[in-house]
Amino acid sequence: MKYLTWLGLAIASLLGTAQACELDRNVRLAGMSWMSNLMMVEIEKAILEDGYDCEVVVEFGDTVPMIAAVVRGDVDLYNELWIDSAPQNWISANEAGEVVSLGDIYSGGVESWWIPRYVAEQNPGLTSVYDLPDYKDLFEDREEPGMGRIYNCPEGWVCGAINNNLLQAFGLEDDYIMFSPGSGAALDAAIASSYAREQPFVTYYWSPTAVLGKYDMVELEMPAYDPEGHQCNMDPECESPVASAFPKASIQKTIPTALQQNAPEMAAFFAEINIPTDEVNTLLAWADEQDAEPDQVAEYFLANYESLWTQWVSAEVADKVKAARQ
């Protein structure tokens, strides 16, 4: 039997084909509704298919059911688990050894208040949220003269409650209003319009996103992150809002623990995947400008970021992926 196994591998090598995929079934990747996830899924799919000879399917769904699918073992990889906000079913499964985190997929998620760089350069004294009262005329709200405007995220998002509480915690409620657009698209449109005309504005935003890849923005300084205070700030009914920065989010990959046993090489590949957040922003901005589909972004990444993704895999796998594109 050992001789036949060796002979089969030798023949495969002579024929220029690699060993079969570690799994004798489809590899199942969780697909969300946003570009950063879909882009990563297509990158992983291309490498798995061309480098590991696997058949890959993408299971689409919302965050909660897809995390539940990983917990059940119905999905092999979930790419963007914001670990500080992980649901209890994942935490319980992780403690029971049924699922495992494979570390960060990006260098970190960022939430903050931002101004355009052209505003920062024209107003060098504006570096902190505590400087904003001195600049409220610069950011005047046309609908409420005498008050400055800070763009908030849409009503109903958790960040909206946080920003409303921070307005009070930073002592800005007499100088600024939190303006909530009707949707995420409306917020993006307001930023794009103001930036194109080089108008001054202050806005909440998060990363990785196309917006922070497309526009040169400067983060306003905030006090140090206070975990307990941030928990209160998340509550719209927080009685004593706390002056706290947003946490620097850890966005991780997670798989069923059984996959490490059944496909250790594949699990090792998943563990190595990591893209610096600034590069993710740049890729998302390129996708937005080109109106590219996720698979087109993946091909652009494989062609232009070879020095990055080849670190995730063996030289043999890398050569196969590159050969498939020649």
Side-chain angles (χ1 to χ4, degrees), residues 29-76:
L29 308 180
M32 300 294 103
S33 59
W34 55 89
M35 178 58 87
S36 61
N37 172 267
L38 295 175
M39 170 189 79
M40 288 305 307
V41 164
E42 289 296 333
I43 291 169
E44 293 154 352
K45 182 173 182 288
I47 293 174
L48 286 168
E49 290 180 340
D50 297 330
Y52 292 92
D53 295 323
C54 293
E55 296 291 332
V56 180
V57 296
V58 181
E59 303 286 354
F60 292 98
D62 292 327
T63 300
V64 172
M66 285 296 99
I67 292 177
V70 172
V71 169
R72 293 193 306 270
D74 293 338
V75 163
D76 298 305

Side-chain angles (χ1 to χ4, degrees), residues 202-237:
V202 187
T203 187
Y204 162 85
Y205 219 82
W206 68 97
S207 177
T209 51
V211 163
L212 291 184
K214 186 184 299 185
Y215 305 117
D216 191 1
M217 304 288 285
V218 175
E219 183 178 358
L220 291 176
E221 295 173 5
M222 290 185 175
Y225 169 60
D226 182 323
E228 292 185 7
H230 181 70
Q231 285 297 315
C232 187
N233 291 343
M234 292 172 66
D235 183 356
E237 305 300 323

Side-chain angles (χ1 to χ4, degrees), residues 75-131:
V75 163
D76 298 305
L77 175 67
Y78 180 91
N79 271 326
E80 294 187 20
L81 178 69
W82 290 61
I83 198 69
D84 294 326
S85 303
Q88 186 58 49
N89 63 333
W90 185 89
I91 294 173
S92 298
N94 179 246
E95 292 173 348
E98 297 167 359
V99 294
V100 62
S101 167
L102 297 180
D104 293 339
I105 190 163
Y106 311 129
S107 54
V110 179
E111 296 177 88
S112 195
W113 294 3
W114 309 80
I115 58 175
R117 186 167 298 280
Y118 57 78
V119 172
E121 291 174 348
Q122 294 165 6
N123 302 274
L126 177 54
T127 60
S128 162
V129 294
Y130 292 114
D131 298 323

Side-chain angles (χ1 to χ4, degrees), residues 130-257:
Y130 292 114
D131 298 323
L132 285 170
D134 296 332
Y135 294 88
K136 70 175 181 179
D137 292 341
L138 183 65
F139 304 112
E140 186 175 22
D141 188 296
R142 294 184 301 276
E143 299 175 9
E144 294 197 32
M147 299 289 285
R149 171 184 288 191
I150 299 172
Y151 283 97
N152 200 352
C153 41
E155 293 291 342
W157 292 17
V158 173
C159 49
I162 297 171
N163 289 324
N164 288 332
N165 283 322
L166 288 179
L167 192 75
Q168 178 182 341
F170 296 150
L172 299 174
E173 60 222 303
D174 292 334
D175 297 299
Y176 283 85
I177 65 158
M178 275 289 170
F179 179 84
S180 296
S183 65
L187 175 60
D188 292 355
I191 292 172
S193 175
S194 297
Y195 201 98
R197 292 177 288 172
E198 293 197 358
Q199 293 181 331
F201 65 95
V202 187
T203 187
Y204 162 85
Y205 219 82
W206 68 97
S207 177
T209 51
V211 163
L212 291 184
K214 186 184 299 185
Y215 305 117
D216 191 1
M217 304 288 285
V218 175
E219 183 178 358
L220 291 176
E221 295 173 5
M222 290 185 175
Y225 169 60
D226 182 323
E228 292 185 7
H230 181 70
Q231 285 297 315
C232 187
N233 291 343
M234 292 172 66
D235 183 356
E237 305 300 323
C238 177
E239 294 184 0
S240 300
V242 177
S244 167
F246 291 86
K248 300 299 182 184
S250 177
I251 308 174
Q252 301 187 4
K253 305 150 289 189
T254 182
I255 63 172
T257 305

